[in-house]
Amino acid sequence: MTKSSGAPSGDRRVRRTQTALARALIHLVGERELSRITVADVAECAGVSRSTFYDHYRDVHELAEVACTAMIDGLIESLPGPGPETADPAPEATQSLEAFFASLAEHAGLYRTLLGPQGSARVVDHIRRRIAATVHDRLRQIADGDPAGYPSPPSDIPHDVPAAFTAGALIGVAADWLQRGCPRPPAEMAALTWPLFSALHRAETVTPA
């Protein structure tokens, strides 16, 4: 939970400062590991004082969590929904997955740190819940006959084993790929992941007898 700066949450100055801090951190993570980045480093890169940093965040790790979850929310919204059971996926499906892996690779240092063995349990739990909720909501929309409309899913869902399994599988694949230094290009990862992702989605439509 970030600190309140005393200004209204909608204050554009507050959001502008938070955006500058997040961008500074993402830039710095591209040069060195998160553990080697200090508050002073981030503040200097963002063009603000250390006291301004502490108006918004307790430490660099909290800023990293906020930056990571904000980016991952956008990625999750773009993930493909289940498609017809065909051998070849629709182009937009693999393109969405390719964009997902490409964005992970672009900020690999940040994601590798937060999703790795010594990472942030809070970030992993956030991602797991968001993916599971998105999968659950999209399949509900399809069951209701409205596959095109994907409103923002709730922050939590009833216990849904297939949706949770799908979320855990995708996080596991992404974390393993990042820890290994992204050895396969995003396009190949998308091609390899889509059959598994699609199969897990389709499993959710099967209602136990």
Side-chain angles (χ1 to χ4, degrees), residues 11-29:
D11 190 326
R12 283 180 291 181
R13 290 175 299 175
V14 171
R15 287 183 291 177
R16 187 163 56 244
T17 299
Q18 292 174 342
T19 298
L21 290 169
R23 287 177 176 170
L25 178 65
I26 291 168
H27 171 76
L28 290 169
V29 166

Side-chain angles (χ1 to χ4, degrees), residues 20-92:
L21 290 169
R23 287 177 176 170
L25 178 65
I26 291 168
H27 171 76
L28 290 169
V29 166
E31 300 176 342
R32 70 193 89 156
E33 291 297 319
L34 184 67
S35 60
R36 297 174 52 206
I37 298 173
T38 67
V39 168
D41 293 332
V42 177
E44 180 179 1
C45 186
V48 301
S49 65
R50 289 183 60 186
S51 62
T52 297
F53 178 100
Y54 287 119
D55 282 341
H56 299 275
Y57 305 103
R58 289 190 298 268
D59 51 34
V60 170
H61 197 75
E62 183 182 34
L63 170 59
E65 290 175 349
V66 172
C68 184
T69 53
M71 290 190 296
I72 208 73
D73 278 351
L75 291 178
I76 291 169
E77 289 298 325
S78 71
L79 285 174
E85 297 191 40
T86 59
D88 298 321
E92 59 270 20

Side-chain angles (χ1 to χ4, degrees), residues 16 19 34-35 44 46 49 53 56 84 95 105-106 111 116 125 127-128 134 140 144 161 167 173 184 189 196 199 206:
R16 187 163 56 244
T19 298
L34 184 67
S35 60
E44 180 179 1
S49 65
F53 178 100
H56 299 275
Q95 287 171 5
E106 182 181 0
Y111 288 119
D125 184 67
I127 295 172
R128 179 187 62 78
T134 297
R140 182 183 59 78
D144 292 343
V161 172
V173 168
R184 300 176 186 268
M189 289 299 296
L196 305 173
V206 177

Side-chain angles (χ1 to χ4, degrees), residues 94 97-99 101-102 177 184-193:
T94 51
L97 279 172
E98 182 177 350
F101 284 106
W177 182 64
R184 300 176 186 268
E188 185 176 354
M189 289 299 296
L192 290 170
T193 305

Side-chain angles (χ1 to χ4, degrees), residues 136-161:
H136 176 86
D137 189 71
R138 290 185 178 184
L139 282 160
R140 182 183 59 78
Q141 290 289 322
I142 290 172
D144 292 343
D146 183 23
Y150 293 154
S152 297
S155 59
D156 203 356
I157 58 173
H159 189 227
D160 185 331
V161 172

